[in-house]
């Protein structure tokens, strides 16, 4: 399977978690493995696209032919994405970006003393929404990992972040989504909704990229 459907397209995507430092030895993060984003990067390169992958800390090999930029925090991810955005015409936000970061990162290791402690957090920038508002406009695709009311929240994000497409997955289903090799997606754009049933992430990546190409061609 490698029809060169995406020849001439330049895809920028984010993958994996972000890591938000607390002090020099600690951080907050999440369970994203980066597998879906890396599968998309691999599939897109096979389909003829030029691919730039901005990756958070993950334990995955770079797919053949893909340009990879490694970052740690959400702010670094935003900076890397915005430095690349003008060279691309498609953006897929697949990373599980931490919603909050530590307000003031301690310069030295925090010592234990009190029985309780509080960490002040501040909102991270929304990378996907920032790209969606950028001119000249890229075709922007988001992911929505939900545990309930998947369609309602996915449609809400499509609208609020002004996306062209959103791929929703129900991460409450055992064996699918976060850290798993398989996934299932429901893909929404303003007019339609398509179900991509459970399969391995590479097959799903090819199906999602085919939908993106169809939508771009129809524009
Ligand atoms: O709002 P929520 O985090 O559920 O949206 C998920 C989508 O937004 C994903 O595509 C994710 O990559 C992107 N996102 C982002 N920057 C953030 C938060 C989410 O790019 N700070």
């Amino acid at each position: 399977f490698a029809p060169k459907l995406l020849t001439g397209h330049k895809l920028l995507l984010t993958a994996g978690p972000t890591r938000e430092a607390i002090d020099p030895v600690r951080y907050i993060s999440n369970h994203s493995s980066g597998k879906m984003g890396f599968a998309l990067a691999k599939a897109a390169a096979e389909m003829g696209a030029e691919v730039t992958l901005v990756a958070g800390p993950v334990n995955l090999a770079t797919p053949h032919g893909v340009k990879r930029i490694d970052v740690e925090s959400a702010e670094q991810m935003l900076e890397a994405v915005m430095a690349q955005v003008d060279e691309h015409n498609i953006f897929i936000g697949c990373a599980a970006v931490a919603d909050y970061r530590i307000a003031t990162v301690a310069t030295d290791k925090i010592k234990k003393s009190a029985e309780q402690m509080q960490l002040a957090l501040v909102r991270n920038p929304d990378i996907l929404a920032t790209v969606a508002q950028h001119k000249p406009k890229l075709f922007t695709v988001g992911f929505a990992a939900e545990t309930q009311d998947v369609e309602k929240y996915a449609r809400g994000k499509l609208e609020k972040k002004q996306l062209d497409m959103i791929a929703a997955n129900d991460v409450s289903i055992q064996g699918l989504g976060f850290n798993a090799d398989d996934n299932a997606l429901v893909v929404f754009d303003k007019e339609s909704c398509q179900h991509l049933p459970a399969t391995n992430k590479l097959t799903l990546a090819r199906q999602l990229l085919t939908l993106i190409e169809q939508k771009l061609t129809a524009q």
Side-chain angles (χ1 to χ4, degrees):
F1 179 95
K4 301 276 182 202
L5 262 185
L6 293 177
T7 302
H9 290 288
K10 294 182 176 182
L11 169 68
L12 177 63
L13 74 161
T14 62
T18 66
R19 196 176 267 186
E20 310 298 329
I22 298 172
D23 69 14
V25 298
R26 304 183 179 96
Y27 58 81
I28 46 177
S29 191
N30 59 64
H31 288 296
S32 170
S33 64
K35 286 176 185 168
M36 190 66 225
F38 274 61
L40 279 161
K42 179 181 162 78
E46 285 172 2
M47 290 163 83
E50 275 182 49
V51 183
T52 307
L53 172 62
V54 179
V58 294
N59 195 9
L60 296 171
T62 310
H64 185 70
V66 169
K67 177 177 153 191
R68 172 173 176 175
I69 302 169
D70 284 315
V71 297
E72 292 224 330
S73 67
E75 287 183 304
Q76 288 167 0
M77 187 174 273
L78 176 67
E79 195 183 325
V81 164
M82 296 319 285
Q84 294 291 327
V85 78
D86 287 328
E87 313 300 322
H88 297 82
N89 71 314
I90 307 170
F91 178 78
I92 307 180
C94 204
V97 183
D99 291 325
Y100 293 88
R101 69 177 179 278
I102 307 298
T104 313
V105 179
T107 47
D108 291 312
K109 184 181 170 191
I110 299 170
K111 294 291 180 195
K112 55 178 167 292
S113 51
E115 278 307 309
Q116 292 188 13
M117 70 174 288
Q118 269 95 38
L119 287 172
L121 304 176
V122 291
R123 274 285 286 273
N124 264 331
D126 193 307
I127 299 165
L128 180 60
T130 308
V131 173
Q133 277 153 36
H134 186 76
K135 301 277 182 287
K137 190 164 167 16
L138 282 74
F139 188 90
T140 48
V141 183
F143 270 77
E146 306 292 348
T147 54
Q148 55 176 341
D149 290 335
V150 176
E151 172 161 0
K152 186 179 114 193
Y153 286 117
R155 284 201 183 280
K157 281 173 197 178
L158 181 76
E159 182 105 342
K160 184 157 173 259
K161 301 195 189 200
Q162 297 174 41
L163 310 177
D164 296 292
M165 193 178 268
I166 192 154
N169 57 325
D170 188 335
V171 289
S172 69
I173 301 173
Q174 276 280 318
L176 297 184
F178 262 174
N179 222 340
D181 291 320
D182 287 8
N183 204 358
L185 296 174
V186 192
V187 183
F188 301 92
D189 58 30
K190 279 189 205 81
E191 296 85 33
S192 59
C193 154
Q194 304 238 23
H195 286 261
L196 303 179
T199 184
N200 66 79
K201 287 181 176 175
L202 189 58
T203 304
L204 212 54
R206 290 172 180 146
Q207 293 169 345
L208 179 61
L209 290 163
T210 303
L211 289 180
I212 292 171
E213 194 277 333
Q214 285 168 357
K215 194 78 195 168
L216 269 168
T217 312
Q219 272 185 348

